């Protein structure tokens, strides 16, 4: 796996040698110290304003008093920009002091810097599709994972929070699903995550607890990030933006930039943020009451001609018919409390700037018992530059440690929805769990199956740059990440019915994983201008190595419950997994950016990648893209339209990216030791000729500004085609193997429209900003030769989405028999898949968000509505009406009772025909419906106190709400994630933010 070290180390040494050797040989242009202040029209200082030297990679920000200082040459031009204000450009000449007043503007098209990965750009000049969310929109949301704060805020970016259990990974897709590979962690469709220039292995961590299931994604390693420390999140979507990342950018790129110190600040300043809040499940179902439940059960026995007994009807014979328990309230109806504390300090001088912070977050559970989530974070950013700004050093490091003490909450929620309302009390008179009879499975026994997951992650990056000349810069970016996770699941005898204790043993499950990675990227950047022509060029290389280890063990048989987890005390010990995998990656990349007269833009990118996941003859591949933009409004013939059509820009891109998101060593023959040792047996077939997936992306877009940019409209159309699919090719059992890694000649296409509208109104002390984003995606499998003869015939269909279900044709309830009926279904009791003749597309057909922010003086109100148009499976209990267990009250009232009834719910019955009909219903079109929703995702109110006489720079009081209102026809807990997962909680928090 070290085959690339020799191959590319030479290029790295050349650049590093050039970095240090040439700097001392070339003459530097004399520079002067330029300082000043930046205020608004009411003479209020504006902190955080971007001050940069035009056409140079040099800049700073204003401090809390609006002051700045920067080294510049007389020939330089200052570009002063801030979100919501007009950009100003001032020539330096011989002036050393500036007093700058910014005028409010409706647009950030000017010069607000946007992180494009290996280079920076602006809204006005970008040729690719880049979505951006600022840290201000994220930091006040009490989320454990910053990505969940992106819901509804970006066009083309779908974020689904599958569970309200803290620490669970959200599922994120950028412009749809590209790969046939799916399952745990959204395998094969993960975006590339870059944190301060360092790529992160974002694949969710497996778990023995309820955080990993067929409907949940696992433990997210990004939980270790502190949302308060994030300055911005940019998402790269099209070929022009992602091709420079080559094989890693096929599914989009998420760039997370943390906060940095401001240049010129002399004194240390401190930031304190404290919040406290509570959350509950926002919705509960209207389940059947006890009296109606008893009637339903007795009706089922009457319909079946059967007699209730202790063995077949404990709820009728043994249990109290007058008892009623709201099991939803008892099992997941608690209040989750959350607390957050964040401390920060920043300061420095002209040559040294720093920022550091500590964070703590604690969240309890809505479940009964002492379950909670704790997170501790620490971060440090250090910037150093020489007095002439030729040498720069940027060091970032962050550490996160979270501890999640939970249990199998997935089954707990489903139990709360299905348990009979007259089920026995949880605890007996002796205070122990009640095991009244063999038909009773006490739900609180699940609480004894505790799990504790601990994850620690270190992310560090170091960037060195040297300006060899005014136009040429050498840079070396490097990074190191280390993630360590441990999970312990305790399963004592109390977890089981005492009647089973003589047949089973207590056990403990241990999951351990470690991910270690380093990366080095030497680069050369060249910038120059010749009249109206400007050039921005980049060349560099990447060397990356990653090592993953895993160890899973099970201990069985403990003499005492207190010894659970101590493997030395277990009677038997089994190692179920012990693996070490190494991954090596190398690349060379380049970019050329040209623009003429600031109205014609051309961007060319290319990358050659090598991956150790492919055989020796298939390891390298080339990727690239071309992007262009034309600012039509700069043409002379457009000037007469500017009072109405103030900005017009057309852009487009085309290119290719790839993917190597498969397991390591898949091209090799592998063997394992036979039980007891002494021999080997084959576990994997070799296939050294499979290669990269290919993703070809096309985009066309128009950006318009009306009425002096008071109204902005951006429209994009895209088409992404992913081919040469990397999947496991299924083999017949006679070969002795289930599959072999291979490429399938299948092509997946994602197309869609994205719309973004923004407006801004400023009237004195009143300010209003509104934005709307909307995405209309479409996913199709457009080619798959031989699919009907493959194992995918019952999963996918050419011409349809990858997210489809094959369903029975539901025809309603038979008025005579009272059972569900279906068209063209074999009634011999055999579930034939060929009878599923209908296809339902479950892809979101439209999604987006609508945000408003109102500011009057020091008072601010901000809210975001998220909307999704989709079809999905309506909530139905997992038991047929009349069997032991609760159903919805509305289903009880709509059931069939007598021959001739026209009903929508079948009769109460426990016979096999009724169960068969109900099970077919759950895989038929009859349970699929419109599950669209409109949700008030966030609502925030803040007030800025006057604190000038207190020695405090700013003091902000804020209230924040999440998931406050949801309008939907879905009758389950959460339309976002249909099923029996714990929904995202409705949260209310109040807090205080100080700067002094």
């Amino acid at each position: 796996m070290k085959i690339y070290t020799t191959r590319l180390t030479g290029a790295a040494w050349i650049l590093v040698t050039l970095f240090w050797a040439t700097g001392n040989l070339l003459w530097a242009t004399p520079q002067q110290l330029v300082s000043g202040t930046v205020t608004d029209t009411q003479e209020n200082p504006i902190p955080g304003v971007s001050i940069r030297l035009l056409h140079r990679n040099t800049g700073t920000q204003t401090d809390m008093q609006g002051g700045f200082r920067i080294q510049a040459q007389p020939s330089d031009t200052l570009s002063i920009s801030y979100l919501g204000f007009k950009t100003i450009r001032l020539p330096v000449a011989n002036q050393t002091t500036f007093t700058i007043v910014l005028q409010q503007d409706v647009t950030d098209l000017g010069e607000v810097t946007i992180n494009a990965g290996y280079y920076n750009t602006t809204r006005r000049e970008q040729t690719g599709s880049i979505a951006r969310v600022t840290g201000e929109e994220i930091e006040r949301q009490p989320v454990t994972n910053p990505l969940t704060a992106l819901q509804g805020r970006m066009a083309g970016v779908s974020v689904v929070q599958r569970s309200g259990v803290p620490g669970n990974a959200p599922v994120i897709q950028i412009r749809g699903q590209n790969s046939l590979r799916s399952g745990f962690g959204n395998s094969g469709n993960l975006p590339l995550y870059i944190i301060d220039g360092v790529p992160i292995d974002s694949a969710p961590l497996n778990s023995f607890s309820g955080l990993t299931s067929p409907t949940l994604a696992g433990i997210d390693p990004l939980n270790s990030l502190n949302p308060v420390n994030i300055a911005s999140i940019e998402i790269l979507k099209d070929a022009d933006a992602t091709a420079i990342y080559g094989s890693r950018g096929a599914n989009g790129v998420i760039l997370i930039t943390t906060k940095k110190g401001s240049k010129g600040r002399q004194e240390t300043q401190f930031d304190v943020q404290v919040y406290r809040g509570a959350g509950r499940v926002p919705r509960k179902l209207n389940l059947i009451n006890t009296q109606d439940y008893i009637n339903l059960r007795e009706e089922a026995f009457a319909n079946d001609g059967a007699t209730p007994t202790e063995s077949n009807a404990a709820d009728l014979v043994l249990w109290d018919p007058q008892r009623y328990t709201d099991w939803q309230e008892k099992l997941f109806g608690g209040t989750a409390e959350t607390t957050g504390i964040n401390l920060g300090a920043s300061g420095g001088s002209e040559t040294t700037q720093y920022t550091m912070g500590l964070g703590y977050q604690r969240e309890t559970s809505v479940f009964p018992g002492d379950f909670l989530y704790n997170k501790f974070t620490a971060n440090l950013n250090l910037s150093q530059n020489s007095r002439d700004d030729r040498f720069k050093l940027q060091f970032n490091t962050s550490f996160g440690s979270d501890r999640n003490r939970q249990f199998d909450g997935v089954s707990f929620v489903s139990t709360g929805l299905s348990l009979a309302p007259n089920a026995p009390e949880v605890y007996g008179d002796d205070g122990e769990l009640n095991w009244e009879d063999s038909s009773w499975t006490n739900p609180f026994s699940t609480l004894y199956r505790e799990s504790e997951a601990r994850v620690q992650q270190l992310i560090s990056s170091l960037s060195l740059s040297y300006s060899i000349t005014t136009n040429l810069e050498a840079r070396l970016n490097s990074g190191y990440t280390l993630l360590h996770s441990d999970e312990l699941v305790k399963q004592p005898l109390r977890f089981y019915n005492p009647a089973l204790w003589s047949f089973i043993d207590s056990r403990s499950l241990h999951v351990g994983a470690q991910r270690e990675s380093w990366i080095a990227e030497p680069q050369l950047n060249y910038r120059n201008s010749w009249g109206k022509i400007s050039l921005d060029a980049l060349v560099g290389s990447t060397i990356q190595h990653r090592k993953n280890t895993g160890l899973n063990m099970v201990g069985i048989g403990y003499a005492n419950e207190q010894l659970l987890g101590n493997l030395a005390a277990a009677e038997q010990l089994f190692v179920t997994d012990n693996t070490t995998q190494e991954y090596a990656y190398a690349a060379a990349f380049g970019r050329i950016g040209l623009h003429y007269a600031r109205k014609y833009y051309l961007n060319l990118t290319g990358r050659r990648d090598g991956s150790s996941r492919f055989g020796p003859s298939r390891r390298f591949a080339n990727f690239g893209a071309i992007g262009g933009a034309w600012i039509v409004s700069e043409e002379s013939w457009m000037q007469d339209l500017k009072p109405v059509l103030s900005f017009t820009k057309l852009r487009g891109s085309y290119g290719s990216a790839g993917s190597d998101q498969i397991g390591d060593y898949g091209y090799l023959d592998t063997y394992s030791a036979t039980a007891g040792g002494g021999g080997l047996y084959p576990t994997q077939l070799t296939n050294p000729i499979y290669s990269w997936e290919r993703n070809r992306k096309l985009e066309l877009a128009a950006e318009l500004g009306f009425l002096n940019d008071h109204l902005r409209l951006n429209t994009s159309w895209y088409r992404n085609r992913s081919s040469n699919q990397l999947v496991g090719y299924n083999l017949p059992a006679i070969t002795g193997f289930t599959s072999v890694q291979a490429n399938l000649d299948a092509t997946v296409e994602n197309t869609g429209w994205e719309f973004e509208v923004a407006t801004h109104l400023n009237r004195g002390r009143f300010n209003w900003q509104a934005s709307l984003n909307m995405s209309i995606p479409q996913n199709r499998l457009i080619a798959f030769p031989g699919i009907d003869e493959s194992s995918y015939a019952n999963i996918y269909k050419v011409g349809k989405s990858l997210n489809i279900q094959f369903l029975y044709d539901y025809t309603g309830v038979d008025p005579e028999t009272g059972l569900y009926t279906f068209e063209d279904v074999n009634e011999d009791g055999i579930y034939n898949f060929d009878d599923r003749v209908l296809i339902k597309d479950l892809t979101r057909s439209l999604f987006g968000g609508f945000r408003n922010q109102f500011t009057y003086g020091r008072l601010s109100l901000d809210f975001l509505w998220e909307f999704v148009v989709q079809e999905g499976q309506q909530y139905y209990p997992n038991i047929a009406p009349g069997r032991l267990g609760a159903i919805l009250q509305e289903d009880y009232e709509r059931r069939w009772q007598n021959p001739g009834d026209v009903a929508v719910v079948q009769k109460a019955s426990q016979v096999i025909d009724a169960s068969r009909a109900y099970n077919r219903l759950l895989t038929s079109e009859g349970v699929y419906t419109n599950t669209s929703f409109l949700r008030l995702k966030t609502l925030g109110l803040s007030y800025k106190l006057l604190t000038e006489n207190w020695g405090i720079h700013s003091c902000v009081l804020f209230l924040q709400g999440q998931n406050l209102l949801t309008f939907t026809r879905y009758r389950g807990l959460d339309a976002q994630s249909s099923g029996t997962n714990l929904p995202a909680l409705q949260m209310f928090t109040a807090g205080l933010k100080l700067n002094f």
Side-chain angles (χ1 to χ4, degrees):
M1 300 305 162
K2 299 180 180 179
I3 56 175
Y4 310 112
T5 304
T6 303
R7 189 164 204 160
L8 289 184
T9 300
W13 277 111
I14 291 173
L15 288 174
V16 172
T17 302
L18 183 63
F19 181 96
W20 294 106
T22 57
N24 297 322
L25 301 178
L26 299 173
W27 175 78
T29 305
Q31 300 199 36
Q32 62 192 36
L33 181 64
V34 175
S35 62
T37 58
V38 181
T39 66
D40 59 18
T41 54
Q42 298 179 349
E43 298 184 356
N44 296 315
I46 308 177
V49 176
S50 173
I51 313 291
R52 69 184 184 96
L53 303 181
L54 201 62
H55 307 310
R56 291 178 57 188
N57 192 28
T58 300
T60 185
Q61 289 184 334
T62 57
D63 57 24
M64 294 302 299
Q65 286 74 45
F68 71 91
R69 294 201 293 178
I70 189 172
Q71 293 284 344
Q73 300 171 6
S75 59
D76 284 329
T77 298
L78 295 179
S79 177
I80 303 96
S81 59
Y82 188 67
L83 187 67
F85 290 83
K86 294 181 179 180
T87 296
I88 297 177
R89 288 178 175 167
L90 300 173
V92 175
N94 295 321
Q95 190 172 350
T96 59
T97 303
F98 291 84
T99 299
I100 302 167
V101 179
L102 294 184
Q103 301 286 334
Q104 284 194 324
D105 196 1
V106 297
T107 177
D108 61 351
L109 292 176
E111 305 300 329
V112 173
T113 301
I114 295 175
N115 182 10
Y118 290 101
Y119 63 99
N120 292 329
T121 184
T122 65
R123 284 280 184 225
R124 185 184 189 278
E125 298 178 352
Q126 72 182 56
T127 55
S129 181
I130 304 176
R132 183 174 189 261
V133 168
T134 63
E136 182 183 0
E137 299 178 57
I138 301 173
E139 64 180 5
R140 292 180 187 171
Q141 299 186 46
V143 295
T144 58
N145 189 303
L147 295 184
T148 58
L150 303 183
Q151 288 180 296
R153 296 182 183 273
M154 293 179 167
V157 182
S158 171
V159 181
V160 178
Q161 186 178 353
R162 293 286 181 87
S163 171
V165 177
N168 192 251
V171 177
I172 181 168
Q173 285 187 353
I174 301 174
R175 290 184 170 177
Q177 179 179 342
N178 295 313
S179 176
L180 296 179
R181 302 187 305 285
S182 60
F184 171 70
N186 202 23
S187 175
N189 292 284
L190 289 171
L192 171 66
Y193 293 83
I194 304 288
I195 301 176
D196 290 329
V198 181
I200 300 297
D201 184 354
S202 59
L205 298 163
N206 207 341
S207 166
F208 276 148
S209 71
L211 292 175
T212 301
S213 72
T215 58
L216 298 181
I219 301 174
D220 198 330
L222 294 180
N223 292 333
S224 64
L225 299 179
N226 186 350
V228 174
N229 189 40
I230 293 176
S232 66
I233 297 179
E234 278 91 355
I235 294 189
L236 315 184
K237 297 184 286 186
D238 72 327
D240 178 74
T242 61
I244 198 167
Y245 286 99
S247 64
R248 301 179 294 173
N251 301 315
V253 182
I254 299 179
L255 304 173
I256 300 177
T257 305
T258 59
K259 295 177 179 178
K260 298 173 176 59
S262 299
K263 204 169 184 180
R265 181 176 293 172
Q266 299 297 323
E267 61 179 16
T268 299
Q269 297 195 20
F270 298 94
D271 294 285
V272 178
Q273 185 195 64
V274 180
Y275 65 81
R276 177 93 171 150
R280 291 180 60 89
V281 172
R283 184 181 191 184
K284 295 186 177 69
L285 307 189
N286 183 21
L287 298 177
I288 191 170
N289 61 57
T290 299
Q291 184 59 52
D292 290 339
Y293 173 75
I294 298 296
N295 293 339
L296 184 70
R297 289 282 285 152
E298 291 175 343
E299 184 178 306
F301 279 94
N303 289 337
D304 299 339
T307 302
T309 65
E310 291 185 5
S311 60
N312 65 13
D315 54 335
L316 298 180
V317 177
L318 298 177
W319 298 354
D320 184 354
Q322 303 300 320
R323 181 189 295 115
Y324 172 78
T325 302
D326 183 350
W327 289 107
Q328 295 178 91
E329 188 66 28
K330 200 170 192 69
L331 298 184
F332 53 90
T335 299
E337 298 180 353
T338 182
T339 302
I341 302 173
N342 293 281
L343 308 175
S346 59
S349 63
E350 280 301 315
T351 58
T352 304
Q353 305 87 43
Y354 67 88
T355 179
M356 63 182 68
L358 296 174
Y360 174 75
Q361 183 179 359
R362 182 181 187 272
E363 183 175 339
T364 61
S365 173
V366 296
F367 302 120
D370 185 21
F371 302 106
L372 59 85
Y373 174 87
N374 279 317
K375 178 165 70 174
F376 171 80
T377 60
N379 62 275
L380 171 66
N381 171 267
L382 178 64
S383 302
Q384 178 72 44
N385 59 277
S386 60
R387 292 194 175 276
D388 59 3
D389 264 350
R390 297 182 68 181
F391 173 77
K392 296 178 182 178
L393 177 150
Q394 186 80 241
F395 174 71
N396 296 282
T397 187
S398 65
F399 174 77
S401 175
D402 62 64
R403 176 187 176 193
N404 200 349
R405 192 166 72 245
Q406 296 291 344
F407 72 108
D408 190 0
V410 176
S411 63
F412 216 57
V413 175
S414 61
T415 300
L417 299 178
S418 60
L419 203 57
N422 69 325
E425 295 293 339
V426 172
Y427 295 102
D429 295 336
D430 57 359
E432 298 295 326
L433 288 183
N434 182 14
W435 299 99
E436 188 169 314
D437 59 80
S438 59
S439 66
W440 160 254
T441 299
N442 196 316
F444 271 46
S445 63
T446 305
L447 299 176
Y448 293 123
R449 189 181 188 268
E450 298 182 14
S451 74
E452 181 172 280
R454 296 173 180 261
V455 180
Q456 296 87 34
Q457 183 164 225
L458 173 70
I459 304 172
S460 297
S461 65
L462 175 65
S463 176
L464 304 172
S465 66
Y466 188 81
S467 296
I468 301 170
T469 69
T470 304
N471 308 114
L472 181 64
E473 179 190 68
R475 179 183 295 271
L476 177 63
N477 293 334
S478 60
Y480 175 78
T481 66
L482 177 63
L483 180 145
H484 184 81
S485 70
D486 287 295
E487 182 181 27
L488 171 62
V489 179
K490 297 179 179 180
Q491 203 160 296
L493 286 177
R494 288 190 296 167
F495 174 66
Y496 305 97
N497 190 320
L500 304 176
W501 286 5
S502 59
F503 305 102
I504 58 177
D505 292 299
S506 57
R507 63 182 56 201
S508 63
L509 301 90
H510 305 252
V511 183
Q514 181 168 297
R515 299 174 179 177
E516 186 178 18
S517 175
W518 61 263
I519 188 172
E521 293 187 313
Q523 303 168 36
L524 280 175
N525 295 272
Y526 180 79
R527 298 178 180 86
N528 209 345
S529 298
W530 302 273
K532 294 184 178 181
I533 300 176
S534 293
L535 169 69
D536 187 354
L538 164 70
V539 63
S541 63
T542 300
I543 308 170
Q544 183 181 358
H545 182 271
R546 181 189 301 160
K547 182 179 180 180
N548 292 350
T549 59
L551 178 62
N552 296 352
M553 297 179 292
V554 178
I556 300 177
Y558 290 89
N560 190 301
E561 184 176 314
Q562 301 300 319
L563 297 175
L564 269 174
N566 183 356
L567 292 175
E571 296 178 1
Q572 300 179 58
L573 177 62
F574 299 95
V575 177
T576 59
D577 181 43
N578 186 8
T579 58
T580 299
Q581 295 181 327
E582 294 190 54
Y583 168 67
Y585 171 85
F589 56 88
R591 169 185 176 265
I592 297 176
L594 290 167
H595 74 76
Y596 176 78
R598 301 193 76 238
K599 58 183 177 181
Y600 305 113
Y601 294 85
L602 180 66
N603 194 41
L604 303 171
T605 56
R607 191 175 183 108
R608 179 169 175 80
D609 282 356
S611 171
S612 63
R613 288 174 174 160
F614 301 108
S617 63
R618 302 296 178 96
R619 283 179 173 156
F620 289 89
N622 300 319
F623 307 97
I626 179 172
W630 175 26
I631 301 182
V632 185
S633 53
E634 292 297 314
E635 300 290 353
S636 58
W637 46 271
M638 286 285 293
Q639 302 310 304
D640 292 340
L641 298 176
K642 276 207 167 182
V644 177
L645 188 59
S646 49
F647 180 80
T648 306
K649 175 183 172 183
L650 303 177
R651 60 176 177 84
S653 66
Y654 179 77
S656 67
S659 176
D660 66 346
Q661 288 191 27
I662 54 174
D664 297 308
Y665 316 130
Y667 64 92
L668 296 172
D669 277 322
T670 60
Y671 297 83
S672 294
T674 57
L680 297 174
Y681 68 95
T683 56
Q684 179 177 281
L685 288 177
T686 181
N687 180 13
I689 61 172
Y690 64 80
S691 187
W692 306 78
E693 278 188 6
R694 288 281 181 173
N695 192 303
R696 293 172 174 83
K697 302 181 179 183
L698 171 67
E699 180 179 52
L700 300 173
E703 301 178 10
L704 304 175
F706 300 91
L707 304 175
N708 196 26
D709 290 347
H710 279 74
L711 175 66
R712 303 198 312 272
L713 171 63
N714 298 337
T715 304
S716 302
W717 174 85
Y718 65 88
R719 188 195 69 194
N720 300 343
R721 287 183 173 177
S722 181
S723 59
N724 213 31
Q725 294 282 324
L726 273 170
V727 295
Y729 184 80
N730 290 328
L731 298 175
I734 194 173
T735 65
F737 296 90
T738 58
S739 66
V740 61
Q741 187 69 60
N743 292 108
L744 286 184
D745 188 21
T747 302
V748 177
E749 179 182 82
N750 285 284
T751 60
W753 290 89
E754 295 174 2
F755 302 94
E756 297 172 298
V757 182
T759 187
H760 187 177
L761 177 66
N762 182 34
R763 292 291 184 269
R765 301 184 66 192
F766 176 75
N767 183 277
W768 170 52
Q769 297 183 56
S771 62
L772 168 70
N773 72 83
M774 183 170 59
S775 304
I776 307 176
Q778 184 181 37
N779 176 272
R780 290 190 308 153
L781 177 64
I782 62 174
F784 195 153
I787 186 174
D788 292 334
E789 290 75 37
S790 74
S791 60
Y792 293 97
N794 295 336
I795 303 175
Y796 304 119
K797 187 175 182 61
V798 174
K800 301 295 183 179
S801 163
L802 298 184
N803 189 23
I804 59 174
Q805 291 288 333
F806 291 85
L807 304 171
Y808 293 111
D809 186 0
Y810 172 70
T811 53
V813 176
D814 189 320
E816 298 303 319
T817 66
L819 298 180
Y820 294 123
T821 58
F822 309 89
E823 188 75 26
D824 300 325
V825 171
N826 190 340
E827 297 296 344
D828 58 5
I830 300 176
Y831 293 93
N832 192 338
F833 194 89
D834 292 337
D835 293 339
R836 300 188 186 187
V837 296
L838 298 181
I839 296 177
K840 180 69 67 174
D841 186 355
L842 304 183
T843 304
R844 290 181 167 185
S845 58
L846 184 147
F847 64 91
F850 177 52
R851 184 191 180 208
N852 277 267
Q853 183 177 26
F854 301 91
T855 302
Y856 183 79
R858 298 187 299 275
L859 184 67
S860 179
L861 174 68
D862 187 299
F863 63 84
L864 171 71
W865 287 92
E866 180 191 11
F867 56 87
V868 173
V869 176
Q870 62 184 3
E871 284 193 279
Q873 186 172 3
Q874 186 64 280
Y875 172 75
Y876 274 79
N878 58 7
I879 56 171
R883 298 186 70 87
L884 178 64
I887 66 171
L888 295 178
Q889 185 70 40
E890 65 176 278
D891 287 350
Y892 169 78
E893 296 168 354
R894 300 186 301 169
R895 75 193 186 283
W896 183 97
Q897 299 182 65
N898 299 296
D901 284 353
V902 178
V904 295
V905 177
Q906 77 172 16
K907 68 178 181 180
S909 175
Q910 300 181 89
V911 299
I912 188 64
D913 287 343
S915 296
R916 183 184 299 130
Y918 189 79
N919 289 336
R920 280 204 176 112
L921 172 75
L922 299 182
T923 52
S924 76
E925 188 187 25
V927 297
Y928 283 83
T929 185
N930 186 344
T931 57
S932 305
F933 64 89
L934 173 66
R935 173 171 293 168
L936 182 56
K937 186 63 183 175
T938 63
L939 175 64
L941 181 67
S942 64
Y943 183 76
K944 184 177 181 181
L945 299 176
L946 289 174
T947 57
E948 287 82 356
N949 298 327
W950 303 351
I952 298 175
H953 298 311
S954 68
C955 178
V956 178
L957 302 174
F958 62 88
L959 299 173
Q960 184 78 24
Q962 285 188 303
N963 306 315
L964 301 184
L965 293 172
T966 301
F967 300 96
T968 181
R969 292 171 58 185
Y970 178 69
R971 64 181 192 172
L973 293 175
D974 188 2
Q976 177 182 215
S977 178
S978 59
T980 56
N981 296 329
L982 183 72
L985 301 185
Q986 183 182 76
M987 299 288 295
F988 294 91
T989 57
L992 169 71
K993 184 175 181 180
L994 291 172
N995 176 269
F996 54 92

